[in-house]
RNA sequence: GACCCUAUCGUCUAGCGGUUAGGACACCGCCCUUUCACGGCGGGUGCACGGGUUCGAGUCCCGUUAGGGUCGCCA
């Protein structure tokens, strides 16, 4: 039987990082098995479901690189879709639910009470054969023991999650349900529903949850809980995808960096860990840095330029090759692309306050003289190439019997207003003679 | 309250009865160096606790503790 899996989020205007991982694991499993990955929107709660909220999910998944073989093509619930098992929005499937509820009622598995329809839950414990967790036999809780039956259609006529989720999985031919472990305790209800509907339940795989760094559960409001944090925080989707795969799953070969296809090739449900994992922002940043430094230069420049513009730097006045060369000096220095404005901003503005850095005690007395000497010497060279600039500094240092750094630091500060940054000689070359000389003048003027 | 899941360095993990308990991030030294980095070399840190089973337990069983989840006319 061909594998069919789905990711079935509720559009809340928010895509949780854990949800993103669930989607990814489903996708990975489908790819590995040559199966079908389906996106289904569980928008039964009409009040809070909007097209915009669906869009957050659609855009988030696309950004991550998780595409679906079947499901909506747009965020509109009545819009076009791909696949034969639609509609893929629950809000469009009311008829199906209605007839299935009738079926349950006529078979004696469901009944009305207080205007709501309730499912007659079996009294004996049900065992879930979970691919990740193993066999789980669930006894009734004390509350359930008093009344094991549960509502499947509210008194306002709206079917509830447990019901629609099962009906859709059944109708859509889902073979494996891969979802968060928070659903493990609900699974006996789902199995009972499948059986009442005369169907064999799918295989289940409950994956561990993602916790905060301190071990508490990662709720909606916690730092980094939303995928948007990463989309807007200068993370590369492949780094985020790689990182979240490493939470609860291991390639077991001591490697850390993988492409999605590589992971798909190795991915097995049975090797998913059973315990929750804490989210380590620092390691994600490291991984992101690894992907940034090895990424395509053009893509880096494109993404970097967008972030510079967003930060308020006007790049439209600079030639393309200048922008590209400037940003590239920082390619191996940032862990998140959003660090770029602070690091490369000096390339794109003359509005630099040089005084604080020039007057700081990092630069000892005699700065002014050295700056003046730098200026007069740099003025005279024809080619403003990095190696020429370096040899000027080298000569200056040896003539004055001092270390390179007593010239290096003042020059850097004069050019960038900062004590650290990209490779000095390259930055000076890219800035160009006139800019550098002008900044040297300003730096000299700023000396105490 | 009841039920379910889980437990290896600070974090993510390898381990699936016999290992000097391995790797990565982070951290600490040293080297390199034009800053910050990169890179190189070196270092510390771990099997939650208590009982069993076994010649032998991080590995199997039970309990305790801790963390997480579920028990809704939310999804």
């Amino acid at each position: 039987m061909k594998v069919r899996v789905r990711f079935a989020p509720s559009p809340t205007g928010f895509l949780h990082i854990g949800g993103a991982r669930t989607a990814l694991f489903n996708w990975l499993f489908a790819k590995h098995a040559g199966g079908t990955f389906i996106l289904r929107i569980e928008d039964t709660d009409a009040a809070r479901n909007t097209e915009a909220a669906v869009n957050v999910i659609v855009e988030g998944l696309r950004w991550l690189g998780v595409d679906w073989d079947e499901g909506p093509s747009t965020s509109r619930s009545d819009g076009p879709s791909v696949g034969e098992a639609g509609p893929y929005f629950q809000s469009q499937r009311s008829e199906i639910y209605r007839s299935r509820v009738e079926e349950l009622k006529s078979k004696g598995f469901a009944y009305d009470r207080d205007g709501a329809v309730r499912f007659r839950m079996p009294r004996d414990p049900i065992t879930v054969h979970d691919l990740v967790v193993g066999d789980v036999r669930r006894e009734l809780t004390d509350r359930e023991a008093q009344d094991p039956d549960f509502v499947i259609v509210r008194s306002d006529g709206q079917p509830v999650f447990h019901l629609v989720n099962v009906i859709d999985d059944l109708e859509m031919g889902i073979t494996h349900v891969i979802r968060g472990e928070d659903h493990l305790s609900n699974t006996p209800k789902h199995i009972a529903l499948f059986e009442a509907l005369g169907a064999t339940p799918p295989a289940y795989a409950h994956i561990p949850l993602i916790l905060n760094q301190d071990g508490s559960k990662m709720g909606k409001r916690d730092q980094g809980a939303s995928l948007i944090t990463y989309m807007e925080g200068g993370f590369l989707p492949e780094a985020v995808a790689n990182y979240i795969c490493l939470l609860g799953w291991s390639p077991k070969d001591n490697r850390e960096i993988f492409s999605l296809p590589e992971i798909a090739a190795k991915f097995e449900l049975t090797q998913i860990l059973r315990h929750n994992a804490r989210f380590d922002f620092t390691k994600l940043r490291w991984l992101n840095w690894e992907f940034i430094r090895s990424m395509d230069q053009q893509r880096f420049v494109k993404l970097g330029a967008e972030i510079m513009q967003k930060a308020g730097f006007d790049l439209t006045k600079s030639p393309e090759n200048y922008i590209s060369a400037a940003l590239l000096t920082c390619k191996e220095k940032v862990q998140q692309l959003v660090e770029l404005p602070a690091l490369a901003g000096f390339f794109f503005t003359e509005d630099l306050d040089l005084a604080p850095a020039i007057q700081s005690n990092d630069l000892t007395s005699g700065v002014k003289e050295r700056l003046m000497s730098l200026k007069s010497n740099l003025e005279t060279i024809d080619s403003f190439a990095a190696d020429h600039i370096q040899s000027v500094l080298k000569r200056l240092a040896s003539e004055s019997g001092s270390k390179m750094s007593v010239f290096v630091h003042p020059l850097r500060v004069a050019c960038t207003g900062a004590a650290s940054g990209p490779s000095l000689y390259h930055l000076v070359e890219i800035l160009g003679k006139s800019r550098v000389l002008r900044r040297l003048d300003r730096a000299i003027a700023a000396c105490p």
Side-chain angles (χ1 to χ4, degrees):
Chain A
M1 181 168 45
K2 196 180 174 189
V3 163
R4 288 174 65 79
V5 294
R6 50 59 171 186
F7 177 55
S10 177
T12 57
F14 177 94
L15 181 52
H16 194 279
I17 187 73
R21 187 184 60 155
T22 301
L24 188 53
F25 278 15
N26 273 281
W27 183 91
L28 252 7
F29 178 65
K31 292 295 166 199
H32 181 83
T36 302
F37 174 67
I38 300 162
L39 174 63
R40 181 174 77 223
I41 306 297
E42 305 219 335
D43 58 342
T44 49
D45 187 354
R48 69 184 188 199
N49 296 319
T50 64
E51 192 179 325
V54 175
N55 207 43
V56 168
I57 293 166
V58 167
E59 290 303 316
L61 293 179
R62 285 191 177 138
W63 180 79
L64 240 205
V66 173
D67 52 357
W68 46 100
D69 304 301
E70 290 183 25
S73 307
T74 72
S75 302
R76 294 177 57 88
S77 58
D78 57 356
S81 64
V82 177
E84 301 301 312
Y88 294 94
F89 283 80
Q90 289 187 333
S91 59
Q92 308 297 308
R93 301 172 64 81
S94 312
E95 255 331 297
I96 298 169
Y97 306 140
R98 215 185 315 278
S99 72
R100 286 295 194 170
V101 169
E102 282 312 313
E103 177 187 340
L104 287 173
K105 281 202 223 174
S106 67
K107 286 183 183 166
F109 287 116
Y111 58 94
D112 295 9
R113 187 204 284 176
D114 301 329
V117 183
R118 298 167 61 86
F119 178 70
R120 207 181 295 283
M121 184 69 182
R123 312 284 123 144
D124 297 327
I126 289 174
T127 297
V128 181
H129 303 288
D130 193 277
L131 262 20
V132 172
V133 187
D135 286 359
V136 179
R137 176 188 155 101
R138 229 209 73 165
E139 306 283 344
L140 296 179
T141 66
D142 54 2
R143 193 189 195 96
E144 289 167 333
Q146 292 174 9
D147 181 8
D149 299 346
F150 59 94
V151 170
I152 52 176
V153 181
R154 297 192 295 224
S155 52
D156 66 359
Q158 283 297 312
V160 305
F161 164 75
H162 298 301
L163 202 239
V164 295
N165 186 267
V166 164
I167 291 176
D168 288 343
D169 284 345
L170 170 54
E171 297 271 348
M172 293 182 180
I174 300 302
T175 59
H176 297 71
V177 170
I178 304 165
R179 56 177 22 166
E181 199 220 65
D182 48 342
H183 283 109
L184 182 57
S185 293
N186 287 327
T187 306
K189 289 180 181 172
H190 300 176
I191 290 174
L193 242 12
F194 269 104
E195 288 173 349
L197 258 8
T200 304
Y204 288 97
H206 287 91
I207 66 179
L209 271 21
I210 296 178
L211 269 26
N212 290 315
Q213 184 69 59
D214 67 0
S216 61
K217 75 162 178 173
M218 191 184 263
K220 225 174 164 169
R221 299 193 168 171
D222 289 314
Q223 184 64 37
S226 171
L227 191 68
I228 203 78
T229 308
Y230 309 96
M231 296 170 73
E232 293 178 348
F235 286 93
L236 264 23
E238 55 269 46
V240 174
N242 191 151
Y243 179 70
I244 58 184
C245 283
L246 256 22
L247 258 24
W249 177 84
S250 167
K252 297 177 191 285
D253 61 1
N254 285 344
R255 284 175 61 202
E256 306 283 332
I257 297 171
F258 297 91
S259 66
L260 249 24
E262 281 179 301
I263 295 175
K266 300 168 84 75
F267 192 79
E268 302 278 358
L269 290 178
T270 49
Q271 48 181 234
I272 292 176
L273 275 322
R274 285 168 288 282
H275 60 269
N276 298 342
R278 302 181 187 206
F279 196 94
D280 185 351
F281 206 75
T282 303
K283 184 160 182 180
L284 202 214
R285 278 168 49 78
W286 167 76
L287 209 44
N288 200 51
W289 169 77
E290 288 282 357
F291 277 92
I292 288 175
R293 66 204 296 243
S294 63
M295 80 191 282
D296 175 77
Q297 291 197 340
Q298 294 206 324
R299 181 174 164 224
F300 172 81
V301 170
K302 183 173 176 292
L303 293 176
E306 285 171 10
I307 282 172
M308 294 299 290
Q309 297 271 19
K310 202 177 284 181
F313 290 97
D314 183 7
L315 271 55
T316 59
K317 290 184 222 144
S318 306
E320 247 175 72
N321 59 354
Y322 178 78
I323 296 172
S324 166
L327 295 182
L328 253 11
T329 60
C330 300
K331 187 165 181 273
E332 301 194 354
K333 291 181 169 293
V334 294
Q335 291 194 302
Q336 293 173 239
L337 262 16
V338 287
E339 292 162 25
L340 236 26
L343 207 56
F346 69 86
F347 279 116
F348 303 100
T349 180
E350 290 305 318
D351 187 23
L352 291 171
D353 185 7
L354 266 21
I358 286 288
Q359 292 166 13
S360 92
N361 50 17
D362 288 350
L363 300 176
T364 52
S365 58
V367 191
K368 189 167 190 172
E369 290 67 31
R370 285 195 291 274
L371 284 170
M372 295 190 344
S373 142
L374 276 165
K375 191 202 164 195
S376 57
N377 278 276
L378 287 174
E379 248 169 2
T380 62
I381 58 173
D382 300 323
S383 164
F384 221 61
D387 53 344
H388 290 179
I389 294 157
Q390 180 170 13
S391 54
V392 168
L393 286 254
K394 208 171 265 178
R395 179 167 52 76
L396 252 24
S398 79
E399 281 172 6
S400 65
S402 51
K403 297 199 302 184
M404 292 277 279
S405 59
V406 301
F407 287 95
V408 163
H409 291 293
L411 181 56
R412 170 181 296 283
V413 167
C415 290
T416 71
S420 67
S423 167
L424 178 68
Y425 307 123
H426 293 98
L427 136 204
V428 169
E429 174 185 330
I430 292 163
L431 236 22
K433 195 169 184 174
S434 61
R435 270 199 202 83
V436 170
L437 260 22
R438 207 182 315 141
R439 292 185 189 190
L440 244 11
D441 277 334
R442 292 187 46 212
I444 291 165
C447 284

